[in-house]
């Protein structure tokens, strides 16, 4: 009988979606008062509470969440008078405060004390570079004060902040500033009021000495919105890009989704210590400085691009997340999947649609598919969790966005827009579920709504319920007598933890047929009125196997399947190299043309890996070299797309092609991939050099698609040339490093120099450090470059860098740059057969778990694919996982990932 109790003490609880119940009490208004002091901040909270008439709870207990709080006092104010509670009036433990037998309506005043300076987990209220800031999603508000910390409790917030005037002249919270004043001790105060009810995870507070970049935006209906970007004074020259992007995002959401901004001001604050990218707090977004600050000298094209996407993402949450929020955290993808879809569409409209789609698919293939195939596989809407922070995943975000994209594909642009309008109108001010979203989308295609079709998304819901990446196989049959072409499609999905049997998915598959000249054939799909006289149509695969027959096909066509990657699936049927080369040269769908090139490269690499393991001498296929050359020398191809087409599949994507029992040999993959790059460089040296030189830009750095394309093709050529191990190219690279006026070209050169033994490397690294030692974001790049190096001895270098004066384990960006890049990005070194990489990761995780569990839990994902490696490595990884799990007092975050990874 003791085993039961001891188990419940050591093992954290699992929370289940099926146990959801409505809150027993609602909080109408929250009045907060912060007396900010570095180690001793006093938080006074006054809550107006009423019993929820929808609750069926039999008890009358008020349950509030609270963590790491010092409770100073509780006062209840009832109709009959007020009452200070004593310890006998409530029950308190590590996570909750329960007051029994409260009335149906009352006010409660709670005073707590917290220590922002010691808060290294960066949840709740903390200090970051002399500024106070908060992070409350998902469950950080409970580290500020006792409160029903759940998204379906929405309240009106009024917040007063007191702080020292000199150190913290700027005091910010959500909504509008309604009052301010000065008080004794050189302190001042400001009161903010947010007119929109919100869940506490969207609360924010900032206090600091900050530079403010101001601008204005006029909404479609003629309201002027004041825009404010707050940064540390030293970053005042890095604000322009974010402001441009914000205005683009505001305009785009009006044009594309009909969504206007709803407050008089919109504020963004950049902070240096942040666990994630950014946070959509109502009217007061807080950003990791790496996701908002930019200047040509310090930021790469990739940084500029990412910043644009994230500024859009957080802004778009104002509707998809804030005005309409989540009922509970299982619904996280309701806001995140939809908002990622929105930011992807935004980036696609602002830049190149094809390049955006390729980038998005690369994230899925390189990270999401392996999550779906591993021990942490979970549905887009998970059914259980131990620590919700562990579910801010590529599945919830990126696969969630693909699910919304499929609805968009099935419904079509205009019905999708009708559906989203219905969603925002129907649920404004509510906390809702994925079902509510999908029902609104169905209403958008409802024939009573003027639509031709009545869409039924019942089976489609399996995308939300089931984990795992569906596999598609296809068979073709051309009947020359009947002039008909039939395509048989089959779907299947492997078991995932907790889900043995999978039901069929509803999968939209965009197809076109190409003739021998590579032109699309006008389609006539048997039995489908929607698919006649069109170049392309959407096949809806709903059964395990379905046959689609096209009539009037004059000769055997080449099928272009899953255009634009219309569903997050794997196509298992392999095609001949001849077919792939044909599609690589001819497919009119940009994505599929690129994809055919990747499939071709993958096929070649996989067979070379086989030969290499058999000890054979390697030789690269001449046809592939010719196809590569044709792409490289094609002057009509968009440069950014060309650079994508000339990039080989990543090592991790190659490794993922091996199924259990046929372990990926990471050394062989690494070796072969470099071999292929060297061969291409050797055969095409003069072409690569010519394209490199022709792509040189003169003049100031500009962030636009044309210039980005030129820089990416130029650096792509340089990277191939460096494979030749020729001092002329090392020199060329060092010259680029010294002479470029922008970080894109400087970084590209320095990264390459760090991957090869050469005479310039040490000097360039040193110069770079000295030039940028006072710019934290650039120094992150300096650490990351060294952690990513292919050269032998990289782990020792990383260990040495841990002791570098610029390294600090307290800053998440720095940890990600050095430890994260090595363990998650440097596959070949991390998986060194001697186990040194594994030992290193486990040591760092144990150290970090005491400081910042969220960051520790992210890093352990380096072990998540352990079963895909050879026995020796499996054993070594398992030992380190066991070493972690045997430690007492692990955080829930790390416990959950390690225990599920081992299960
Ligand atoms: N909600 C944030 C976003 O995706 C992410 C986030 C989650 C930030 C948790 C901080 C903490 O926009
Ligand atoms: Zn988000």
């Amino acid at each position: 009988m003791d085993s039961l109790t001891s188990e419940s003490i050591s093992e954290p609880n699992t929370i289940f979606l099926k146990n959801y119940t409505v809150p027993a009490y609602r909080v109408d208004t929250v009045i907060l008062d912060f007396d900010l002091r570095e180690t001793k901040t006093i938080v006074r909270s006054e809550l107006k509470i009423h019993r929820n008439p929808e609750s069926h709870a039999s008890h009358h207990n008020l349950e509030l969440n609270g963590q790491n709080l010092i409770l100073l006092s509780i006062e209840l104010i009832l109709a009959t008078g007020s009452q200070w509670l004593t310890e006998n009036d409530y029950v308190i433990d590590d996570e909750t405060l329960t007051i029994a037998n409260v009335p149906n309506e009352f006010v409660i005043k709670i005073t707590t004390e917290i220590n922002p300076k010691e808060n290294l987990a960066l949840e709740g209220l903390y200090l970051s570079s002399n500024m106070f800031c908060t992070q409350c999603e998902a469950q950080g508000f409970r580290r500020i004060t006792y409160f029903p910390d759940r998204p379906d409790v929405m309240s009106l917030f009024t917040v007063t902040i007191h702080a020292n005037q000199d150190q913290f002249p700027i005091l910010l919270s959500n909504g509008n500033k309604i009052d301010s004043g000065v008080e004794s001790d050189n302190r001042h105060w400001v009161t903010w009021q947010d007119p929109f009810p919100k869940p506490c995870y969207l609360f924010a507070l900032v206090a600091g000495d900050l530079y403010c970049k101001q601008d204005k935006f006029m909404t479609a209906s003629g309201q002027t919105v004041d825009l404010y970007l707050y940064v540390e004074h030293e970053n005042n020259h890095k604000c322009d890009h974010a402001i441009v992007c914000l205005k683009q995002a505001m305009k785009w959401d009006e044009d594309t989704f009909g969504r206007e901004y709803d407050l008089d001001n919109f504020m963004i604050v950049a902070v240096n210590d942040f666990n994630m990218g950014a946070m959509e707090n109502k009217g007061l977004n807080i950003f990791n400085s790496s996701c908002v600050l930019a200047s040509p000298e310090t930021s790469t094209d990739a940084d500029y691009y990412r910043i644009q996407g994230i500024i859009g993402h957080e802004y778009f949450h104002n509707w998809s997340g804030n005005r309409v929020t989540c009922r509970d955290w299982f619904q996280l993808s309701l806001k995140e999947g939809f908002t990622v879809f929105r930011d992807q569409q935004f980036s696609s409209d602002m830049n190149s649609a094809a390049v955006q789609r390729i980038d998005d698919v690369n994230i899925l293939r390189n990270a999401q598919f392996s999550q779906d195939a591993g021990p942490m596989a979970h549905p887009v809407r998970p059914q259980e969790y131990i620590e919700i922070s562990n579910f801010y995943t590529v599945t919830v975000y990126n696969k969630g966005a693909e699910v919304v994209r499929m609805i968009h594909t099935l419904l079509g642009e205009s019905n999708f827009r009708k559906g989203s309008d219905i969603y925002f109108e129907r649920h404004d001010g509510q906390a809702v579920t994925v079902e509510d979203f999908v029902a609104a989308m169905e209403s958008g295609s409802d024939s009573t709504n003027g639509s031709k079709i009545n869409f039924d998304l019942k089976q489609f819901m399996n995308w939300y319920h089931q984990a795992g990446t569906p596999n598609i196989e296809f068979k073709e049959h051309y009947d020359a007598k009947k002039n008909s072409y039939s395509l048989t499609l089959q779907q299947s999905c492997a078991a995932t933890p907790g889900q043995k049997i999978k039901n069929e998915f509803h999968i939209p598959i965009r197809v076109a047929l190409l003739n021998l000249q590579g032109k699309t054939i006008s389609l006539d799909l048997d039995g489908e009125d929607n698919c006649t006289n069109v170049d392309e149509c959407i096949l809806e695969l709903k059964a395990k196997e379905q046959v689609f027959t096209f009539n009037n096909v004059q000769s055997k066509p080449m099928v272009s399947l899953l255009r634009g990657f219309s569903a997050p699936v794997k196509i298992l049927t392999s095609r001949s190299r001849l077919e792939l080369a044909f599609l690589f040269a001819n497919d009119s769908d940009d994505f599929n043309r690129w994809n055919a090139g990747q499939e071709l490269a993958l096929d070649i690499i996989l067979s070379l890996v086989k030969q290499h393991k058999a000890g054979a001498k390697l030789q690269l296929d001449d046809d592939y070299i010719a196809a590569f050359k044709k792409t490289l020398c094609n002057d009509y191809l968009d440069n950014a797309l060309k650079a994508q087409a000339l990039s080989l599949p990543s090592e991790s994507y190659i490794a993922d092609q091996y199924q259990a029992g046929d372990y990926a040999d990471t050394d062989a993959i690494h070796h072969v991939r470099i071999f292929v790059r060297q061969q291409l460089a050797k055969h095409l040296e003069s072409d690569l050099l010519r394209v490199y030189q022709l792509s040189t830009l003169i003049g100031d750095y500009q962030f636009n698609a044309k210039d980005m394309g030129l820089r990416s093709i130029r650096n792509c050529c340089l990277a191939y040339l460096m494979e030749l191990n020729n001092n002329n190219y090392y020199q060329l690279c060092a010259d680029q490093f010294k002479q470029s006026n922008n970080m894109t070209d400087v970084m590209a050169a320095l990264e390459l120099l760090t991957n090869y033994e050469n005479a310039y490397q040490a000097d360039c690294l040193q110069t770079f450090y000295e030039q940028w030692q006072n710019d934290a974001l650039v120094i992150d790049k300096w650490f990351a470059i060294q952690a990513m190096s292919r050269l032998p001895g990289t782990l020792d270098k990383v260990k040495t860098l841990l002791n570098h004066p610029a390294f600090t384990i307290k800053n998440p960006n720095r940890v990600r740059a050095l430890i994260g890049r090595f363990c998650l990005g440097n596959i070949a070194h991390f998986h060194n057969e001697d186990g040194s990489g594994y030992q290193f990761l486990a040591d760092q995780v144990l150290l970090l778990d005491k400081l910042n569990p969220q960051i520790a839990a992210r890093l352990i994902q380096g072990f998540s694919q352990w079963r895909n490696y050879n026995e020796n490595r499996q054993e070594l990884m398992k030992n380190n996982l066991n070493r972690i799990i045997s430690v007492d007092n692990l955080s829930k975050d790390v416990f959950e990932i390690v225990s599920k990874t081992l299960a």
Side-chain angles (χ1 to χ4, degrees), residues 135 137 276 278-280 313-314 317 335-336 392 397:
Q135 173 51 46
E137 187 179 4
M276 310 277 273
M279 180 63 210
E280 70 265 23
H313 181 99
E314 306 311 329
H317 268 315
K335 75 177 177 79
E336 295 304 346
Y392 287 76
Y397 275 64

Side-chain angles (χ1 to χ4, degrees), residues 583-740:
L583 291 168
F584 186 36
N586 295 300
D587 202 320
S588 56
D589 181 70
D590 285 335
F591 173 83
N592 265 15
R593 207 169 52 245
W594 168 82
N595 193 54
Q598 296 291 297
E599 294 294 312
L600 185 58
L602 192 61
D603 191 62
I604 287 165
I605 291 171
L606 292 176
S607 50
L608 288 172
V609 168
K610 225 188 246 162
Q611 291 166 29
H612 176 68
K613 286 167 77 175
K617 189 166 177 325
L618 300 183
Q619 201 187 334
L620 183 59
D621 186 276
D622 285 336
D623 292 341
Y624 182 67
I625 300 173
F628 191 96
K629 180 182 163 106
K630 218 173 137 194
T631 306
L632 175 63
C633 300
N634 179 347
D635 293 335
Y636 299 100
L637 201 59
D638 170 75
N639 281 310
L641 261 181
K642 190 191 278 191
Q644 296 273 18
L646 299 181
S647 303
L648 301 179
S650 71
E651 286 180 27
S652 68
Y653 185 58
I654 300 166
D656 272 358
Q657 308 306 310
Y658 295 85
Q659 308 290 323
D662 181 17
Y663 303 120
D665 181 338
T666 42
D667 295 330
I669 290 171
H670 184 69
H671 176 88
V672 164
R673 193 171 177 279
I674 291 177
F675 167 80
V676 173
R677 290 175 54 84
Q678 282 170 340
Q679 290 299 304
L680 290 167
K682 205 173 108 196
H683 286 94
L684 304 172
E685 183 175 354
S686 58
D687 293 311
L688 287 163
L689 188 56
R690 187 173 47 80
V691 176
Y692 175 83
Q693 278 154 349
L694 280 175
S695 315
T696 307
L697 276 160
I698 39 172
D700 287 346
Y701 172 90
Q702 284 187 43
F703 173 71
N704 61 43
K706 182 172 155 284
D707 287 8
M708 271 197 293
L710 283 164
R711 283 186 289 269
S712 66
I713 190 64
R714 184 163 178 265
N715 287 319
C716 170
C717 291
L718 180 62
Y720 275 103
L721 291 167
M722 288 289 280
E723 299 285 12
L724 295 170
N725 296 317
N726 171 334
N727 197 59
N728 292 339
Y729 297 123
Y730 295 155
Q731 173 80 60
L732 182 68
C733 196
D735 289 346
Q736 174 171 323
F737 172 80
K738 288 188 198 112
Q739 290 156 14
S740 303

Side-chain angles (χ1 to χ4, degrees), residues 275-287:
N275 284 345
M276 310 277 273
M279 180 63 210
E280 70 265 23
N281 315 302
K282 183 77 186 187
L284 176 55
N285 288 358
I286 296 183
F287 273 63

